[in-house]
């Protein structure tokens, strides 16, 4: 019996989370059927995902705050796909998929990939940006109880999110994000 997993993220930008999935999904067991769903029109890595034969679904949300449409599209997709597990990454995908998974009783695993709530990240922002930041931080904190577990890519990021989102230590696991470091020739 295959397990169906949907990985949901904001875009296919050339960034850490997106590259991590591109690097690890081709090595998954044949017992796991997966798809990568992304919300916003940033398709930088799409060709590489296609070359790696990673199935993708683009939901084409029109703006960063197209949450009602996003909720509806994700719910419709999950109804047709019937995933056994959802893995969400990055803020907007986290918020939307948590709410859909809660309403549909689908287990969700969250990821913690950057130190978004470090005090230095807040101090440099303008007043209006701080208000928006605090609003989304509140939503993130309010919905952080929904995922079954969180996977962090470092102990420092896990500790930061435990504190800022109130995540219980027992619900956080650290799996370091390994990267192949290209060989570099050094000349003196």
């Amino acid at each position: 019996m295959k397990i169906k997993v949907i990985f949901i993220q904001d875009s296919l930008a050339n960034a850490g989370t997106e590259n991590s999935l591109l690097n690890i999904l081709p090595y998954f067991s044949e017992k796991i059927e997966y798809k990568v769903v992304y919300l916003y029109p940033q398709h930088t890595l799409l060709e590489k995902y296609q070359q790696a034969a990673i199935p993708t679904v683009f939901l084409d949300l029109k703006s960063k705050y197209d949450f009602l449409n996003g909720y509806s599209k994700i719910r419709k997709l999950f109804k047709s796909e019937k995933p056994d597990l959802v893995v969400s990454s990055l803020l907007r995908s986290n918020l939307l998929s948590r709410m859909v998974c809660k309403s549909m009783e689908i287990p969700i695993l969250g990821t913690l990939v950057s130190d978004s709530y470090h005090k230095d990240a807040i101090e440099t922002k303008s007043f209006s940006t701080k208000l928006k930041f605090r609003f989304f931080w509140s939503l993130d904190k309010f919905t952080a109880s929904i995922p079954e577990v969180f996977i962090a890519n470092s102990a420092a990021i896990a500790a930061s999110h435990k504190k800022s989102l109130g995540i219980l230590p027992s619900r956080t696991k650290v799996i370091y994000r390994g990267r192949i470091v290209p060989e570099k020739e050094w000349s003196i």
Side-chain angles (χ1 to χ4, degrees):
M1 184 173 108
K2 283 193 172 189
I3 296 171
K4 186 180 269 192
V5 181
I6 290 184
F7 293 87
I8 186 164
Q9 57 194 24
D10 291 356
S11 71
L12 289 184
N14 188 9
T17 298
E18 298 83 350
N19 274 298
S20 289
L21 276 182
L22 178 60
N23 290 328
I24 65 171
L25 287 178
Y27 296 101
F28 269 36
S29 164
E30 291 178 4
K31 294 179 181 178
I32 300 173
E33 179 184 342
Y34 59 82
K35 283 189 178 167
V36 173
V37 175
Y38 65 108
L39 307 179
Y40 302 102
Q42 193 169 10
H43 315 284
T44 310
L45 294 176
L46 180 58
E47 188 175 322
K48 288 185 178 184
Y49 271 71
Q50 291 169 338
Q51 289 169 352
I54 297 171
T56 60
V57 176
F58 173 48
L59 294 185
D60 196 17
L61 299 189
K62 301 302 179 195
S63 73
K64 292 192 303 186
Y65 307 111
D66 193 8
F67 289 126
L68 290 177
N69 189 32
Y71 180 90
S72 175
K73 285 184 174 188
I74 292 169
R75 188 172 174 82
K76 183 177 179 182
L77 177 73
F78 288 3
K79 272 187 175 181
S80 69
E81 292 289 335
K82 297 178 181 27
D84 297 301
L85 176 68
V86 173
V87 179
S88 69
S89 298
L90 308 172
L91 181 65
R92 291 173 187 88
S93 298
N94 286 339
L95 295 174
L96 287 167
S97 56
R98 287 174 191 169
M99 298 309 296
V100 173
C101 286
K102 176 124 176 115
S103 72
M104 296 180 73
E105 298 181 353
I106 300 169
I108 182 169
L109 184 149
T111 61
L112 306 172
V113 297
S114 67
D115 198 359
S116 309
Y117 300 115
H118 189 276
K119 65 178 177 130
D120 293 341
I122 301 167
E123 288 177 6
T124 61
K125 299 184 184 311
S126 68
F127 178 74
S128 62
T129 304
K130 282 181 185 178
L131 286 177
K132 192 184 316 181
F133 177 86
R134 295 216 182 265
F135 173 74
F136 282 104
W137 179 20
S138 298
L139 288 176
D140 199 9
K141 188 172 184 171
F142 179 73
T143 61
S145 63
I146 296 172
E148 307 288 322
V149 70
F150 287 90
I151 303 296
N153 62 9
S154 77
I157 289 173
S160 173
H161 280 81
K162 287 175 195 176
K163 183 178 176 182
S164 63
L165 298 180
I167 300 169
L168 296 173
S170 62
R171 292 182 50 236
T172 305
K173 307 292 179 211
V174 176
I175 299 176
Y176 293 97
R177 180 191 311 167
R179 291 269 196 251
I180 297 171
V181 178
E183 289 186 32
K184 185 174 182 176
E185 208 174 289
W186 297 90
S187 59
I188 300 177

